[in-house]
Amino acid sequence: MKALATLALGLFASSQVWAVCPAGTEASTEMVQGKSICYLGQKPANDADIPVSIYGKTDLVLSAEHAWILRGDVRIGGDQKDNSTLTLEAGATVYGMPGSFLTITRDSKIFVNGSATNPVVMSALTAERGKWGGLVIAGNAKINNCTQVGPKGYCESFIEGADPAKAPLYGGLNDDDSSGVIRYLRVEYAGFTFGKDSELNGITFYGVGRGTTVEYIQSYMGADDGVELFGGTVNMKYVVSTDNDDDGFDWDQGWTGAVQYLYITVENASEKDPNGIEADNFKDNHTATPRSNPILSNVTVVAKAGNPQILNGVQLRRGTGAQFYNMIVRGGFQNCLNIDDAETFSNGGQVSGGVVTQTGLVMQNALLQCNNNQILEDAATDPWSITQWFTGDVNLNNYVVAPSEKVVDASGIIPVEGSMALDTGMTPPDGALPGGFQFDSVDYVGAFSPVEADWTAGWTK
């Protein structure tokens, strides 16, 4: 790893130790952006070293007074033992050194207490993609990827990015599990690649339960996915994933939670298959249970560039189920919507008398307005027509919109007067989710209201 002094974020050396750092952290004589430094994690022995540091039985509070710098694989708690709590106060900033990442292990908790005017920020020491690993949260909710069956007889697996011999586990039987409360968090420049098929994202939820509160989060300019979920039942509101190199929002391994208000942009993507939303059940077993089947309402997905590598606004594959309501997909995607794999079709819709009925895949009140190639990718080998599934029932209020039609204003996201995105919103079916999650009742399509205040203002990039 590069020496800290070579990283350009306003660092300077001092002969005085400025910080009074909490127990378990290390003070420095250097500063970042005018704030004294406290290190979390061990100092690496060499450029290739990513040491593991476990904060077990240690409740840490990170204030806005200091700059907090991660070194290596920093874990809060010891995975179902030595449970710990990490609290980040409004305005706190955490910087990750190259190869570092922060993991909240099973039975430990994170409390992010940001605000719209004073968010918590997790960033890199240089404003470049993939300079650190990002935030990982591991929980005890169900997953369908059984790398191993633990001693208690349930399905669990190892997170990506860490040494497999030492990697934290995720998964369990407690769908109501809580990993804490996250409000107003921005994660930047994450997605460090550790090796082939081993990379982290901006924010990764591994088997996180619906007892966890997640509201107002952004993943910005990462080198891999913005937000990814591996199983679990966690619910979210107000999610932003912008200008990440791969997928904006990605789920796998049996996620069955919900999201309301999700805004995704795909811009200068450089990965081989970037999508706005990439949705899987499980790649090695498309019928694995629990089957991925989240509910998403008030979604806006935008391709802001004509990069030919940008594939799909929404990619549904590998047996996933899903329910979408009040969604806009627009811009330079090759396809607004694509469905792949036999089990996704088998689970997703049924054909009777030439009519395709939506079953395991549901999409209502959706507008597709893409200007490259195809809006809906219909293949001759598909068991049923995606176009027919999307537009066949007038009661679904789904529309393919010409690129020339005015749907949103100059910002690209706010519905304009007279737009078919107005007065057509719906509330997802009542009682669809356990755990008390409630969808707000809306009368518009997409993530943004034409009359209410912009919920991204002040805390996002």
Side-chain angles (χ1 to χ4, degrees), residues 50 98-100 130-134 189-194 198-201 223:
I50 300 178
S100 69
K131 298 303 291 186
W132 71 294
Y189 313 118
F192 187 87
T193 299
F194 295 88
S198 182
E199 62 275 320
L200 291 174
N201 309 290

Side-chain angles (χ1 to χ4, degrees), residues 35 63-64 66-69 89 91-95 119-123:
K35 294 184 179 182
S63 70
H66 304 303
W68 307 90
I69 296 184
E89 297 179 350
T93 303
V94 178
Y95 297 98
V120 171
V121 178
M122 297 184 182
S123 191

Side-chain angles (χ1 to χ4, degrees), residues 99-168:
S100 69
F101 58 104
L102 175 63
T103 301
I104 311 303
T105 64
R106 293 184 296 183
D107 289 345
S108 292
K109 290 181 170 59
I110 182 171
F111 294 93
V112 176
N113 299 322
S115 69
T117 56
N118 208 13
V120 171
V121 178
M122 297 184 182
S123 191
L125 286 160
T126 54
E128 302 173 65
R129 300 178 192 273
K131 298 303 291 186
W132 71 294
L135 174 64
V136 173
I137 304 175
N140 293 291
K142 295 185 187 75
I143 63 173
N144 64 24
N145 168 27
C146 286
T147 300
Q148 68 174 44
V149 176
K152 296 180 181 179
Y154 51 71
C155 183
E156 57 186 10
S157 190
F158 298 99
I159 72 165
E160 293 182 4
D163 179 347
K166 305 174 183 177

